[in-house]
Amino acid sequence: MAVYGGIQAHEVERWLNALVNAAFDRRCPLSKVHGGTARARTARQDLLCLAQTFRGEQGASDVVADSLSRWCQHYLTETEWYVLVSGKKPRAGAPAPAAPAQEESTEAIEALLQHKVG
């Protein structure tokens, strides 16, 4: 199970900007967000609702931060979280997948680096 840190209230705007940009960037499909499934559409819609709530000042920053943390736990992989937080490529400690999948994953991580928060 992936371990995610909490998002602080003062970081909400940066996280929302990074996640919305990454979720709609076709070069870096977040593994559980992009795709043609209903779940992917729901994930993006939930993210946009959180952004609208925050930007429309309809919810307190700490409540939106908590909701955004739960969104990340539900929809991001540990690797995606690490890249967004640190802005660094993850270390190669895990067994390597098949060559085509590894190449595709590397390209997605490279593009995701452009949307880093930390």
Side-chain angles (χ1 to χ4, degrees):
M1 177 174 215
V3 178
Y4 301 92
I7 296 172
Q8 302 296 317
H10 66 276
E11 300 174 319
V12 171
E13 187 168 10
R14 288 190 331 214
W15 273 98
L16 282 171
N17 290 337
L19 288 171
V20 169
N21 289 338
F24 288 94
D25 184 348
R26 293 186 186 270
R27 296 172 299 141
C28 64
L30 298 175
S31 67
K32 295 181 182 177
V33 176
H34 274 1
T37 64
R39 182 169 190 243
R41 288 189 300 274
T42 301
R44 287 191 294 269
Q45 186 63 39
D46 288 349
L47 188 58
L48 291 176
C49 286
L50 285 170
Q52 182 179 6
T53 299
F54 176 74
R55 293 180 181 134
E57 298 177 5
Q58 297 169 349
S61 293
D62 56 339
V63 174
V64 176
D66 185 47
S67 297
L68 193 56
S69 293
R70 284 194 307 274
W71 186 94
C72 290
Q73 289 175 342
H74 191 70
Y75 292 111
L76 297 180
T77 66
E78 189 171 5
T79 302
E80 291 164 344
W81 173 264
Y82 180 79
V83 170
L84 285 169
V85 170
S86 69
K88 299 176 185 175
K89 292 182 187 177
R91 290 187 228 165
Q102 183 179 12
E103 182 179 309
E104 183 178 300
S105 174
T106 303
E107 290 174 10
I109 294 298
E110 290 288 333
L112 189 58
L113 282 169
Q114 296 174 6
H115 300 290
K116 71 181 179 88
V117 177

PDB file of all heavy atoms in Angstrom, residues 5-13 15 61-62 65 69:
ATOM      1  N   GLY A   5       1.741  11.603   2.041  1.00  0.00           N
ATOM      2  CA  GLY A   5       1.696  12.634   3.070  1.00  0.00           C
ATOM      3  C   GLY A   5       0.468  13.496   2.874  1.00  0.00           C
ATOM      4  O   GLY A   5      -0.114  13.544   1.802  1.00  0.00           O
ATOM      5  N   GLY A   6       0.052  14.146   3.932  1.00  0.00           N
ATOM      6  CA  GLY A   6      -1.113  15.016   3.843  1.00  0.00           C
ATOM      7  C   GLY A   6      -0.776  16.294   3.101  1.00  0.00           C
ATOM      8  O   GLY A   6       0.346  16.772   3.124  1.00  0.00           O
ATOM      9  N   ILE A   7      -1.760  16.862   2.462  1.00  0.00           N
ATOM     10  CA  ILE A   7      -1.597  18.128   1.760  1.00  0.00           C
ATOM     11  C   ILE A   7      -2.012  19.222   2.730  1.00  0.00           C
ATOM     12  O   ILE A   7      -3.087  19.166   3.325  1.00  0.00           O
ATOM     13  CB  ILE A   7      -2.446  18.161   0.483  1.00  0.00           C
ATOM     14  CG1 ILE A   7      -1.953  17.077  -0.489  1.00  0.00           C
ATOM     15  CG2 ILE A   7      -2.415  19.544  -0.160  1.00  0.00           C
ATOM     16  CD1 ILE A   7      -2.835  16.896  -1.702  1.00  0.00           C
ATOM     17  N   GLN A   8      -1.166  20.205   2.908  1.00  0.00           N
ATOM     18  CA  GLN A   8      -1.435  21.313   3.819  1.00  0.00           C
ATOM     19  C   GLN A   8      -2.357  22.323   3.161  1.00  0.00           C
ATOM     20  O   GLN A   8      -2.370  22.466   1.934  1.00  0.00           O
ATOM     21  CB  GLN A   8      -0.127  21.991   4.223  1.00  0.00           C
ATOM     22  CG  GLN A   8       0.872  21.061   4.875  1.00  0.00           C
ATOM     23  CD  GLN A   8       0.362  20.517   6.193  1.00  0.00           C
ATOM     24  OE1 GLN A   8      -0.205  21.253   6.994  1.00  0.00           O
ATOM     25  NE2 GLN A   8       0.530  19.217   6.413  1.00  0.00           N
ATOM     26  N   ALA A   9      -3.102  23.070   3.976  1.00  0.00           N
ATOM     27  CA  ALA A   9      -4.064  24.046   3.462  1.00  0.00           C
ATOM     28  C   ALA A   9      -3.402  25.110   2.594  1.00  0.00           C
ATOM     29  O   ALA A   9      -3.961  25.525   1.584  1.00  0.00           O
ATOM     30  CB  ALA A   9      -4.819  24.698   4.623  1.00  0.00           C
ATOM     31  N   HIS A  10      -2.179  25.513   2.953  1.00  0.00           N
ATOM     32  CA  HIS A  10      -1.514  26.556   2.167  1.00  0.00           C
ATOM     33  C   HIS A  10      -0.941  26.030   0.846  1.00  0.00           C
ATOM     34  O   HIS A  10      -0.512  26.808   0.007  1.00  0.00           O
ATOM     35  CB  HIS A  10      -0.414  27.238   2.991  1.00  0.00           C
ATOM     36  CG  HIS A  10       0.740  26.338   3.333  1.00  0.00           C
ATOM     37  ND1 HIS A  10       0.707  25.495   4.428  1.00  0.00           N
ATOM     38  CD2 HIS A  10       1.926  26.144   2.726  1.00  0.00           C
ATOM     39  CE1 HIS A  10       1.848  24.821   4.474  1.00  0.00           C
ATOM     40  NE2 HIS A  10       2.603  25.197   3.445  1.00  0.00           N
ATOM     41  N   GLU A  11      -0.961  24.719   0.634  1.00  0.00           N
ATOM     42  CA  GLU A  11      -0.448  24.112  -0.602  1.00  0.00           C
ATOM     43  C   GLU A  11      -1.550  23.741  -1.590  1.00  0.00           C
ATOM     44  O   GLU A  11      -1.260  23.268  -2.678  1.00  0.00           O
ATOM     45  CB  GLU A  11       0.322  22.830  -0.272  1.00  0.00           C
ATOM     46  CG  GLU A  11       1.502  22.994   0.621  1.00  0.00           C
ATOM     47  CD  GLU A  11       2.103  21.654   0.995  1.00  0.00           C
ATOM     48  OE1 GLU A  11       1.338  20.699   1.275  1.00  0.00           O
ATOM     49  OE2 GLU A  11       3.328  21.560   1.003  1.00  0.00           O
ATOM     50  N   VAL A  12      -2.804  23.945  -1.217  1.00  0.00           N
ATOM     51  CA  VAL A  12      -3.926  23.451  -2.016  1.00  0.00           C
ATOM     52  C   VAL A  12      -3.894  24.003  -3.436  1.00  0.00           C
ATOM     53  O   VAL A  12      -4.060  23.246  -4.398  1.00  0.00           O
ATOM     54  CB  VAL A  12      -5.275  23.771  -1.341  1.00  0.00           C
ATOM     55  CG1 VAL A  12      -6.433  23.468  -2.265  1.00  0.00           C
ATOM     56  CG2 VAL A  12      -5.414  22.991  -0.054  1.00  0.00           C
ATOM     57  N   GLU A  13      -3.668  25.279  -3.601  1.00  0.00           N
ATOM     58  CA  GLU A  13      -3.696  25.856  -4.945  1.00  0.00           C
ATOM     59  C   GLU A  13      -2.614  25.258  -5.835  1.00  0.00           C
ATOM     60  O   GLU A  13      -2.864  24.924  -6.991  1.00  0.00           O
ATOM     61  CB  GLU A  13      -3.552  27.369  -4.889  1.00  0.00           C
ATOM     62  CG  GLU A  13      -3.741  28.010  -6.252  1.00  0.00           C
ATOM     63  CD  GLU A  13      -3.885  29.514  -6.177  1.00  0.00           C
ATOM     64  OE1 GLU A  13      -3.663  30.107  -5.110  1.00  0.00           O
ATOM     65  OE2 GLU A  13      -4.232  30.087  -7.216  1.00  0.00           O
ATOM     66  N   TRP A  15      -1.237  22.267  -5.535  1.00  0.00           N
ATOM     67  CA  TRP A  15      -1.617  20.893  -5.829  1.00  0.00           C
ATOM     68  C   TRP A  15      -2.731  20.827  -6.862  1.00  0.00           C
ATOM     69  O   TRP A  15      -2.677  20.006  -7.783  1.00  0.00           O
ATOM     70  CB  TRP A  15      -2.050  20.171  -4.548  1.00  0.00           C
ATOM     71  CG  TRP A  15      -0.902  19.557  -3.838  1.00  0.00           C
ATOM     72  CD1 TRP A  15      -0.216  20.070  -2.782  1.00  0.00           C
ATOM     73  CD2 TRP A  15      -0.273  18.313  -4.162  1.00  0.00           C
ATOM     74  NE1 TRP A  15       0.796  19.225  -2.429  1.00  0.00           N
ATOM     75  CE2 TRP A  15       0.778  18.135  -3.250  1.00  0.00           C
ATOM     76  CE3 TRP A  15      -0.506  17.339  -5.121  1.00  0.00           C
ATOM     77  CZ2 TRP A  15       1.603  17.016  -3.284  1.00  0.00           C
ATOM     78  CZ3 TRP A  15       0.310  16.234  -5.153  1.00  0.00           C
ATOM     79  CH2 TRP A  15       1.352  16.069  -4.243  1.00  0.00           C
ATOM     80  N   SER A  61     -10.003  26.004   3.210  1.00  0.00           N
ATOM     81  CA  SER A  61      -8.799  25.421   2.614  1.00  0.00           C
ATOM     82  C   SER A  61      -8.428  24.095   3.251  1.00  0.00           C
ATOM     83  O   SER A  61      -7.998  23.175   2.551  1.00  0.00           O
ATOM     84  CB  SER A  61      -7.620  26.386   2.740  1.00  0.00           C
ATOM     85  OG  SER A  61      -7.838  27.523   1.965  1.00  0.00           O
ATOM     86  N   ASP A  62      -8.582  23.977   4.567  1.00  0.00           N
ATOM     87  CA  ASP A  62      -8.200  22.728   5.217  1.00  0.00           C
ATOM     88  C   ASP A  62      -9.134  21.575   4.844  1.00  0.00           C
ATOM     89  O   ASP A  62      -8.706  20.439   4.716  1.00  0.00           O
ATOM     90  CB  ASP A  62      -8.121  22.897   6.731  1.00  0.00           C
ATOM     91  CG  ASP A  62      -9.406  23.427   7.348  1.00  0.00           C
ATOM     92  OD1 ASP A  62     -10.216  24.029   6.621  1.00  0.00           O
ATOM     93  OD2 ASP A  62      -9.599  23.219   8.565  1.00  0.00           O
ATOM     94  N   ALA A  65      -8.100  20.642   1.319  1.00  0.00           N
ATOM     95  CA  ALA A  65      -6.814  19.938   1.391  1.00  0.00           C
ATOM     96  C   ALA A  65      -7.015  18.483   1.805  1.00  0.00           C
ATOM     97  O   ALA A  65      -6.399  17.577   1.232  1.00  0.00           O
ATOM     98  CB  ALA A  65      -5.876  20.648   2.361  1.00  0.00           C
ATOM     99  N   SER A  69      -6.208  15.260  -0.519  1.00  0.00           N
ATOM    100  CA  SER A  69      -5.337  14.168  -0.060  1.00  0.00           C
ATOM    101  C   SER A  69      -6.007  12.815  -0.288  1.00  0.00           C
ATOM    102  O   SER A  69      -5.370  11.864  -0.749  1.00  0.00           O
ATOM    103  CB  SER A  69      -5.015  14.323   1.423  1.00  0.00           C
ATOM    104  OG  SER A  69      -4.223  15.447   1.657  1.00  0.00           O
TER     105      SER A  69
END
